[in-house]
């Protein structure tokens, strides 16, 4: 390998883009070439400085609001009309009503999504389509989702804690593809649905029962989770806590 | 730098681009679709804005481009089947910016500041406007690095930002800039070589 070639390829080496064979070749050249070795060291140092400098920009709040305003409204008009009645009067009550719209609609949406989650859980049990990828290995299940979703669902093996990972599946909730990670507790199946959300706040877990199924939902770092199963509430909570502990940090 | 844009020109360029093409689809009013779009696209706003700032430099231009990007993305959301949302949005943003470059190039009112593709002879490191004392203080800090990156010629700056700031893979960058992976690799090599010279020059400034 010539220095000219190495000077280009060492960037791919730095970025982890070379396959093992080429990586060895470039490393071989660098080992015998002080010039290229010095270059690589410089680029490494530069890369570190660039990463540490925080070169990102933050979108101005006004721009965010402009874009939000340009999107079609997501509230259902009928409900908005009803609530607008309450808002007549002072600016204070108008503000209060805005909060009320958000609360009422969010609950409404959440109920619909919860029943969809239960339907998806039932489908997965009935149709013999529990998993698209069957593996007890989190390092097989996690990459399987790559390219299929716009999120990377965290996949953790909780076998040691009594919940066996059995695979993953693509499902549809709220008319979009979302990831389902499937666990087994004794003879019971737990579907853990994971979807992206605009909110990055942490939402504490809440448990509900719909059609005899228990659902534990929570939100963490831009992802919403729904764990659905016919196991008892306390066991489902145990599952959720183990999962949250394993994915924390 | 001479005034590059007259403000009416900018408004016209971005707004007409937003209104042309397909008639507004009836499903644009579907609240469910709008919400899905919001959930999927808005978390990437800072990423999109960051790329816009590095491509267009001026904050006002970048904001207009980002807004136009989101309008286009919403319009084409029905046909979106991947890749991941972030590279998809960045590719749209890049097209918006390129349309703006083309408009600037053909508009006599706007000064052309884009550099030709083979910008190798372009001096990367201009004597800074600040005093040497201030420069020593700021040596190596974020603003210095930011300035060095901003001084890179367009194809190199774009590739560098997508790699170092957006952390995209060579393949994802290649798809966004519509060039082969080999080209991405050589542009990145060139970008880093230019930065390294600037870097070295900065470190050798008298203290």
């Amino acid at each position: 390998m010539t220095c000219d070639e190495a000077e280009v390829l060492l960037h791919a080496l730095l970025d982890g883009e070379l396959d093992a064979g080429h990586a060895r070749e470039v490393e071989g050249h660098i080992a015998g070439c002080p010039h290229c070795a010095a270059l690589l060291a410089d680029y490494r140092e530069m890369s570190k400085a660039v990463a540490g400098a925080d070169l990102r920009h933050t979108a101005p709040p006004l721009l965010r609001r402009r874009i939000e305003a340009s999107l079609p409204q997501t509230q259902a008009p009928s409900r908005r009309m009803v609530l607008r009645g309450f808002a007549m009067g002072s600016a204070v009550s108008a503000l209060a009503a805005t909060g009320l719209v958000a609360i009422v609609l969010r609950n409404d949406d959440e109920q619909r999504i919860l029943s969809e989650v239960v339907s998806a859980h039932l489908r997965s049990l009935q149709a013999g389509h529990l998993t698209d990828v069957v593996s007890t290995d989190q390092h097989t299940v996690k990459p399987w989702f790559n390219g299929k979703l716009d999120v990377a669902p965290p996949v953790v093996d909780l076998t040691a804690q009594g919940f066996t990972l059995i695979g993953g599946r693509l499902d549809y909730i709220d008319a979009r593809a979302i990831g389902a990670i499937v666990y087994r507790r004794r003879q019971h199946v737990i579907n853990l649905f994971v979807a992206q959300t605009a909110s990055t706040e942490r939402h504490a877990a809440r448990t509900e029962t719909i059609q005899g199924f228990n659902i534990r939902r929570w939100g963490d770092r831009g992802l919403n989770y729904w764990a659905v199963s016919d196991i008892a509430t306390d066991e489902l909570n145990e599952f959720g806590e183990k999962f949250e502990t394993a994915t924390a940090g | 730098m001479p005034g590059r844009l007259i403000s009416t020109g900018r408004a016209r360029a971005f707004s007409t681009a937003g209104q042309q093409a397909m008639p507004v689809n009836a499903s644009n009013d579907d609240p469910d679709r709008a919400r899905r779009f919001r959930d999927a696209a808005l978390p990437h706003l800072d990423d999109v804005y960051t790329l816009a700032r590095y491509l267009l430099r001026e904050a006002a231009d970048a904001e207009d481009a980002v807004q136009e990007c989101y309008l286009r993305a919403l319009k084409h959301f029905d046909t979106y089947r991947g890749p991941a949302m972030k590279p998809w949005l960045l590719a749209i943003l890049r097209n918006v910016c390129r349309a703006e470059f083309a408009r600037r190039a053909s508009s006599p009112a706007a000064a052309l500041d884009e550099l030709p593709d083979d910008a190798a002879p372009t001096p990367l490191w201009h004597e800074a406007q600040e005093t040497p004392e201030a420069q020593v203080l700021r040596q190596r800090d974020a603003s210095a690095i930011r300035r060095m990156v901003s001084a890179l010629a367009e194809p190199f700056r774009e590739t560098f930002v997508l790699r170092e700031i957006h952390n995209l893979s060579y393949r994802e960058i290649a798809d966004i800039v519509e060039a082969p992976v080999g080209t991405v690799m050589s542009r990145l090599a060139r970008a880093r070589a230019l930065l390294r010279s600037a870097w070295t020059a900065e470190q050798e400034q008298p203290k």
Side-chain angles (χ1 to χ4, degrees):
Chain A
M1 179 172 292
T2 67
C3 282
D4 280 351
E5 288 166 336
E7 280 181 24
V8 173
L9 286 175
L10 63 83
H11 293 280
L13 180 71
L14 195 64
D15 293 322
E17 293 265 356
L18 285 184
D19 59 48
H22 284 96
R24 262 199 305 279
E25 265 186 63
V26 178
E27 281 164 353
H29 173 88
I30 287 167
C33 172
H35 168 73
C36 289
L39 272 183
L40 182 65
D42 276 9
Y43 287 131
R44 264 195 221 289
E45 192 198 338
M46 215 171 75
S47 220
K48 249 186 258 163
V50 167
D54 187 20
L55 301 178
R56 297 171 56 83
H57 292 272
T58 305
L62 198 61
L63 173 64
R64 190 177 289 270
R65 282 203 291 278
R66 249 166 69 192
I67 289 173
E68 295 218 341
S70 72
L71 298 178
Q73 292 305 301
T74 56
Q75 287 91 345
S78 57
R79 230 169 246 283
R80 217 168 36 199
M81 293 303 287
V82 171
L83 288 163
R84 198 169 285 155
F86 295 138
M88 300 293 250
S90 69
V92 176
S93 65
L95 273 178
T98 318
L100 196 55
V101 171
I103 292 163
V104 168
L105 293 173
R106 193 165 302 142
N107 283 341
D108 193 49
D109 261 350
E110 273 177 14
Q111 282 307 319
R112 189 171 50 74
I113 288 172
L114 280 181
S115 59
E116 284 195 32
V117 162
V118 170
S119 303
H121 178 73
L122 279 169
R123 270 203 311 276
S124 76
L125 299 178
Q126 289 166 354
H129 184 202
L130 188 57
T131 51
D132 288 323
V133 54
V134 181
S135 174
T136 55
D137 179 5
Q138 65 197 48
H139 302 296
T140 305
V141 177
K142 187 171 171 56
W144 179 85
F145 283 111
N146 283 350
K148 299 186 176 67
L149 294 170
D150 51 13
V151 295
V155 179
V156 289
D157 188 0
L158 300 170
T159 306
Q161 287 95 329
F163 303 91
T164 313
L165 176 67
I166 58 177
R169 183 180 78 248
L170 270 194
D171 216 312
Y172 286 85
I173 303 279
D174 197 19
R176 59 177 167 154
I178 77 165
I181 309 161
V182 189
Y183 291 88
R184 195 182 285 284
R185 168 80 154 184
R186 300 185 305 275
Q187 292 310 305
H188 303 276
V189 167
I190 303 170
N191 267 299
L192 178 63
F193 299 95
V194 187
Q196 195 173 24
T197 167
S199 150
T200 52
E201 299 166 25
R202 204 177 167 283
H203 296 291
R206 274 192 288 174
T207 321
E208 317 226 3
T209 305
I210 294 185
Q211 293 166 245
F213 292 97
N214 288 320
I215 305 169
R216 183 186 194 271
R217 62 199 163 106
W218 70 96
D220 189 17
R221 278 166 290 183
L223 294 175
N224 276 337
Y225 298 88
W226 297 264
V228 191
S229 181
D230 56 349
I231 58 174
T233 311
D234 52 358
E235 275 186 303
L236 193 60
N237 273 327
E238 189 195 339
F239 167 78
E241 282 154 18
K242 299 261 158 75
F243 185 91
E244 286 189 82
T245 310
T247 53
Chain B
M1 192 181 294
R4 293 179 295 121
L5 280 176
I6 49 172
S7 56
T8 51
R10 180 173 68 230
R12 194 186 60 239
F14 285 114
S15 63
T16 51
Q19 283 151 16
Q20 72 190 6
M22 309 196 302
V24 173
N25 194 320
S27 67
N28 266 0
D29 298 328
D30 176 357
D32 190 52
R33 175 177 178 275
R35 195 173 43 74
R36 276 186 288 123
F37 177 75
R38 196 177 293 240
D39 289 353
L42 277 185
H44 302 293
L45 182 58
D46 286 345
D47 279 314
V48 174
Y49 180 71
T50 295
L51 181 61
R53 282 295 297 270
Y54 281 103
L55 293 185
L56 292 173
R57 299 203 171 111
E58 300 293 331
D61 294 348
E63 289 184 29
D64 287 348
V66 169
Q67 183 161 20
E68 172 63 18
C69 165
Y70 273 83
L71 283 177
R72 286 194 198 180
L74 175 68
K75 197 183 290 177
H76 298 289
F77 189 49
D78 288 332
T79 52
Y80 165 69
R81 295 286 179 275
M85 182 50 76
K86 181 163 94 172
W88 185 66
L89 287 172
L90 294 178
I92 294 174
L93 178 86
R94 179 178 182 273
N95 286 336
V96 172
C97 293
R98 293 204 80 78
E100 171 64 9
F101 293 154
R103 196 193 60 81
R104 282 181 193 175
S106 64
S107 161
L112 175 67
D113 84 327
E114 274 322 302
L115 300 162
D117 242 49
D118 56 341
T122 309
L124 174 76
W125 186 246
H126 313 285
E127 282 304 320
Q129 296 87 342
E130 330 173 48
T131 64
E133 290 82 5
Q135 208 174 38
V136 169
L137 288 174
R138 290 162 149 265
Q139 195 174 29
R140 279 206 197 200
D141 74 4
S143 73
I145 296 174
R146 215 177 264 218
R147 205 168 53 228
M148 285 189 251
V149 173
S150 301
L152 288 172
E154 200 259 327
F156 307 125
R157 185 171 68 233
E158 170 181 82
T159 307
F160 183 84
V161 167
L162 288 171
R163 170 64 223 159
E164 300 283 10
I165 302 180
H166 293 93
N167 288 318
L168 298 184
S169 70
Y170 288 9
R171 177 76 258 162
E172 289 172 312
I173 298 170
D175 288 344
I176 290 174
V177 305
E178 295 170 296
V181 171
T183 306
V184 169
M185 187 164 25
S186 61
R187 281 183 191 167
L188 189 59
R190 182 87 193 127
R192 284 180 178 152
L194 288 165
L195 272 182
R196 183 175 162 272
S197 325
W199 182 264
T200 314
E202 168 128 322
Q203 287 182 320
E204 283 166 4
Q205 296 269 327
K207 306 265 154 120

